[in-house]
């Protein structure tokens, strides 16, 4: 059995950065990664049209000033291949590959004595004092629970398992199932070349324009000169984006001013329309109705067929209460003669067939089927590994009634297990949270080294207090009243049918302040031995 000081599961951005930091502590580290390369989300999600919705320069790593100057993003919202190249470049620069084992899917991680024993799909076993999960909040992809999926002989893929060689849609009959952020990006790209595209939409989402464009040379110089200020701003905003809520309430301005502000936001690149809106947009139903009505009017103006426009306007939730897919001419796709929209709520898909699929209404013939059906969010990736803590306690059992954590990074009963993007950490512009969490875990390990401590575990009373805070933060959010991965719902997964408080919805600065407080107080919330 191989021995390490720390095992990291996953070589996405969090696993990569954690490896860099743990090396600095002089630890012997091994990263196990199921894929054949680094990049995590950006390794797996190669579907057509995959790209950032965060401004590229606000998304990259901030810890290496030299890298910031060396790397030039080509677009304001970079496409997936560029992001993957960027992460491969980081891996090359820091020679990360020598500590990463690829094609290494972790099947189980058991706390045995004072070590974590990790077993891979190939049956090999490895152990380490520390276990760090870098498995991502949106990595456990889910196919729909529809009979006959195996019977379709043509190319058919979940968007998060897209083939490296890509797929040619030219002249093909293509189905896309799902209209979340991924489906929207996929649809607008596939529609460009497909002979015929049929979109199966169960729930429409409120989408807003991304306004992507290339970064000019002058902008590039400005971006590079401005990095320290830009990252400082991301550290101050609610969700680590460059955008943050407008301090005004929706009804504190006149109707004309409100309309002008919405127009301004709609014309702005990126998430401004979502996270830069009036402060009460997602807590006050009347305020939410205003912005929802504005976006509905935009959809009606952009989609020629009024019947299709109504199908695309959400009726069961307001704007921004689910993840807002960002789009580039998405609505105009439905004006194309080669594109058809099917209401999968009215006429659900009943079966995938050898020639396509059937709904309650009719049979469809396809050459290619694309499943843009999302992920078992936040805790799904944990469920897929048999994790057992002290006294053989399965994590699935400990979290049967919902995840319980201390600052999202530790769990009672699971000593020396640190979760980089566990449930109840601040998310938003995720790399900003990754960097913070990696540095917090690294500081804890440094503290343990300095004090000759070998074991850290969350105290039950500290977990209870943190969970009470998590619950408190979620009170009054309109997003609580909607099914989505925000509320832990995935209709394709057993046990994920009802809404729970699945995520931390306080501000990132408040989250970090609490974590800083734990560190500054000498980790009293942890049992250290
Ligand atoms: P999402 O946002 O969870 O979207 C999944 C989509 O798939 C959504 O439209 C679902 O409809 C649809 N879906 C799932 N199962 C079915 C079945 N059986 N029939 C029809 N339609 C179905 O996942 P994404 O990948 O788009 O985005 C996830 C996150 O990744 C995103 O928030 C970004 O942060 C990046 P539903 O809404 O459940 O009715």
């Amino acid at each position: 059995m191989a021995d390490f000081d720390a095992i990291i599961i996953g070589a996405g951005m969090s696993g990569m950065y954690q490896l860099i930091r743990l090396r600095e502590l002089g630890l012997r580290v091994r990263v196990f990664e199921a894929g054949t390369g680094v990049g995590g989300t950006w390794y797996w999600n190669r579907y057509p049209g995959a790209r950032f919705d965060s401004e590229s320069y606000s998304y990259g790593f901030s810890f290496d000033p030299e890298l910031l100057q060396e790397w030039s993003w080509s677009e304001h919202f970079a496409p997936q291949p560029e992001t993957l190249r960027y992460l491969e470049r980081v891996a090359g620069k820091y020679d990360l590959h020598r500590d990463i084992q690829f094609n290494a899917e972790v099947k189980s991680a058991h706390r045995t004595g004072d070590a974590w024993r990790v077993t891979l799909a190939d049956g090999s076993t490895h152990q380490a004092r520390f276990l760090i999960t870098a498995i991502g909040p949106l990595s456990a992809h889910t196919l729909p629970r529809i009979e006959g999926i195996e019977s379709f002989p043509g190319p058919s893929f979940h968007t998060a398992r897209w083939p490296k060689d890509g797929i040619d849609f030219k002249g093909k009959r293509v189905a896309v199932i799902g209209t979340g952020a991924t489906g929207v990006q996929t649809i607008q790209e596939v529609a460009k070349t497909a002979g015929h595209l049929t979109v199966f939409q169960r729930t429409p989402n409120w989408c807003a324009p991304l306004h992507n464009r290339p970064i000019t040379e002058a902008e590039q110089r400005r971006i590079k000169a401005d990095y320290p200020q830009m990252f400082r701003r991301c550290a101050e905003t609610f969700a680590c984006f460059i955008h943050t809520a407008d301090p005004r309430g929706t009804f504190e301005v006149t109707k004309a001013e409100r309309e002008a502000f919405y127009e301004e936001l709609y014309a702005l690149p990126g998430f401004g329309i979502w996270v830069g809106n009036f402060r009460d947009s997602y807590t006050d139903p009347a305020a939410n109705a205003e912005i929802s009505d504005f976006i509905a009017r935009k959809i009606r103006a952009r989609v020629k067929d009024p019947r299709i426009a109504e199908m695309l306007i959400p009726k069961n939730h307001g704007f921004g209460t689910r993840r807002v897919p960002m789009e580039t001419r998405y609505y105009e796709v439905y004006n194309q003669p080669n594109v058809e929209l099917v209401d999968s709520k009215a006429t659900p898909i009943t079966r995938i067939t050898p020639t396509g699929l059937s709904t309650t209404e009719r049979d469809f013939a396809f050459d290619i089927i694309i499943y843009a059906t999302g992920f078992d969010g936040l805790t799904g990736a944990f469920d897929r590994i048999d994790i057992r803590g002290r006294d053989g306690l399965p994590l699935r059992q400990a979290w049967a009634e919902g995840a319980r954590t201390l600052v999202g990074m530790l769990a009672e009963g699971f000593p020396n297990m640190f979760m980089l993007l566990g449930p109840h950490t601040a998310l938003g512009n995720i790399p900003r949270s990754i960097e913070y969490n990696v540095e917090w875990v690294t500081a804890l390990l440094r503290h343990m080294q300095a004090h000759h401590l070998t074991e850290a575990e969350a105290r039950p009373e500290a977990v209870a207090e943190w969970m009470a805070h998590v619950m408190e933060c979620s009170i009054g959010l309109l997003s609580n009243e909607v099914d989505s991965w925000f509320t832990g719902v995935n209709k394709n997964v057993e046990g994920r049918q009802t809404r729970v408080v699945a995520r931390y919805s306080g501000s990132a600065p408040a989250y970090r302040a609490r974590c800083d407080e734990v560190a500054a107080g000498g980790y009293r919330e942890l049992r250290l031995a």
Side-chain angles (χ1 to χ4, degrees):
M1 194 185 302
D3 259 330
F4 304 98
D5 294 318
I7 287 175
I8 299 172
I9 310 176
M13 286 185 83
S14 56
M16 290 169 68
Y17 186 42
Q18 187 67 78
L19 172 58
I20 292 170
R21 287 294 180 224
L22 291 192
R23 277 182 183 168
E24 290 169 4
L25 297 185
L27 300 186
R28 285 165 305 130
V29 187
R30 172 56 50 100
V31 182
F32 293 118
E33 164 57 52
T36 59
V38 298
T41 290
W42 302 104
Y43 169 88
W44 294 108
N45 287 272
R46 295 162 190 263
Y47 62 84
R51 66 171 65 247
F52 287 150
D53 288 335
S54 298
E55 286 71 9
S56 310
Y57 34 92
S58 75
Y59 191 99
F61 283 120
S62 75
F63 70 89
D64 178 345
E66 195 184 85
L67 178 72
L68 288 170
Q69 296 307 315
E70 283 167 6
W71 182 265
S72 300
W73 295 103
S74 68
E75 297 176 45
H76 284 269
F77 302 90
Q80 174 272 336
E82 181 171 336
T83 306
L84 187 57
R85 271 200 309 280
Y86 165 77
L87 294 173
E88 283 166 352
R89 165 82 170 270
V90 175
K93 178 169 180 179
Y94 286 89
D95 189 19
L96 298 185
H97 285 69
R98 71 181 149 92
D99 292 320
I100 305 176
Q101 187 174 325
F102 294 103
N103 279 315
E105 188 191 349
V106 172
K107 285 296 196 192
S108 68
H110 293 178
R111 181 82 182 156
T112 322
D114 61 356
W116 279 96
R117 186 172 296 185
V118 169
T119 305
L120 307 182
D122 67 6
S124 63
T125 309
H126 310 263
Q127 67 175 24
R129 183 174 298 284
F130 301 108
L131 176 71
I132 298 177
T133 66
I135 53 184
L138 292 160
S139 58
H141 70 292
T142 48
L143 284 166
R145 291 201 287 189
I146 307 175
E147 273 184 50
I149 284 193
E150 300 307 322
S151 70
F152 183 72
S156 77
F157 298 99
H158 189 284
T159 45
R161 287 297 177 276
W162 203 258
K164 285 184 180 160
D165 295 340
I167 292 195
D168 186 6
F169 302 106
K170 201 153 184 275
K172 298 282 197 306
R173 296 163 303 173
V174 185
V176 175
I177 302 173
T179 52
T182 302
V184 166
Q185 288 188 334
T186 305
I187 290 160
Q188 63 198 19
E189 199 57 35
V190 173
K192 289 179 185 165
T193 54
H196 193 269
L197 167 65
T198 311
V199 175
F200 293 88
Q201 171 190 266
R202 192 165 61 183
T203 314
N205 284 300
W206 298 97
C207 311
L210 182 64
H211 297 303
N212 183 36
R213 58 180 176 77
I215 292 174
T216 65
E217 273 180 37
E219 283 172 336
Q220 196 71 259
R221 279 194 298 277
R222 245 191 336 268
I223 287 165
K224 291 191 179 183
D226 195 43
Y227 268 126
Q229 291 87 304
M230 195 269 310
F231 286 125
R232 213 173 302 131
R233 173 163 173 79
C234 291
E236 288 164 1
T237 60
F238 192 94
C240 315
F241 294 108
I242 60 173
H243 314 275
T244 204
D246 191 283
R248 295 170 300 171
T250 301
F251 301 107
E252 287 168 19
V253 300
T254 65
K255 193 168 174 47
E257 282 169 333
R258 192 156 57 240
E259 187 75 7
F261 183 54
Y262 289 156
E263 286 288 0
E264 194 185 306
L265 291 176
Y266 201 74
L268 207 71
F271 276 143
I273 185 87
W274 186 22
V275 298
N277 221 309
F278 292 115
R279 67 172 150 75
D280 52 359
S281 299
Y282 314 114
T283 49
D284 175 4
N288 188 258
E290 289 289 310
I291 178 64
S292 299
D293 175 64
F294 174 84
I295 303 287
R297 281 186 274 128
K298 288 290 181 195
I299 298 172
R300 288 189 189 107
R302 291 174 59 183
V303 178
K304 284 187 191 142
D305 181 336
R307 189 185 64 86
I308 302 291
E310 287 316 305
M311 281 170 74
L312 290 164
I313 296 172
K315 305 292 189 300
N316 72 341
H317 67 282
F319 176 79
T321 60
R322 291 174 124 203
R323 184 356 174 132
V324 173
M326 302 307 287
E327 49 86 22
T328 303
R329 299 186 55 74
Y330 173 66
Y331 289 111
E332 285 73 12
V333 158
Y334 296 99
N335 298 333
Q336 291 180 207
N338 65 331
V339 178
E340 180 183 0
L341 180 64
V342 174
D343 181 343
S344 284
K345 193 153 264 163
T347 57
I349 302 168
T350 51
R351 199 176 175 83
I352 307 293
T353 66
T355 50
L357 63 78
S358 305
T359 68
T360 50
E361 192 181 49
R362 56 174 272 220
D363 299 332
F364 291 80
F366 294 116
D367 302 307
I368 300 168
I369 299 179
I370 301 174
Y371 298 101
T373 45
F375 303 88
D376 184 6
L378 306 166
T379 49
F382 289 91
D383 278 352
R384 291 188 183 184
I385 302 172
D386 174 18
I387 299 176
R388 295 186 192 203
R390 205 166 6 87
D391 307 323
L393 174 70
L395 186 68
R396 287 182 203 129
Q397 190 182 317
W399 286 3
E401 305 295 315
R404 290 182 60 75
T405 69
L406 171 63
V407 295
M409 289 193 266
L410 297 104
E412 186 202 346
F414 298 82
N416 286 1
M417 180 177 90
F418 307 115
M419 303 173 285
L420 291 178
L421 282 179
H424 321 137
T425 57
L427 291 175
N429 188 16
I430 286 182
R432 305 281 64 79
S433 300
I434 287 175
E435 286 189 335
Y436 179 83
N437 290 10
V438 164
E439 281 156 20
W440 192 91
V441 167
T442 308
L444 169 59
L445 293 179
R446 192 180 294 116
H447 174 89
M448 291 174 72
Q449 277 185 335
H451 295 84
H452 308 290
L453 299 162
T454 56
E455 193 167 281
E457 184 183 346
R459 290 186 190 278
E461 59 276 18
V463 171
E465 191 197 323
W466 176 250
M467 291 313 298
H469 172 64
V470 170
M471 296 296 157
E472 199 185 344
C473 290
S474 78
I475 293 170
L477 298 177
L478 297 174
S479 56
N480 290 341
E481 294 159 30
V482 194
D483 289 352
S484 77
W485 68 262
F486 283 7
T487 45
V489 174
N490 184 321
K491 297 272 164 47
N492 299 312
V493 181
E494 202 68 54
R496 297 260 193 273
Q497 311 298 311
T498 48
R499 287 174 218 146
V500 293
V501 177
R503 64 180 181 136
Y504 178 72
S505 42
S507 76
Y511 172 80
R512 288 190 296 261
R514 179 65 187 129
C515 295
D516 286 348
E517 198 179 65
V518 172
Y523 304 98
R524 283 191 301 267
E525 292 78 356
L526 277 60
R527 183 184 59 74
L528 292 173

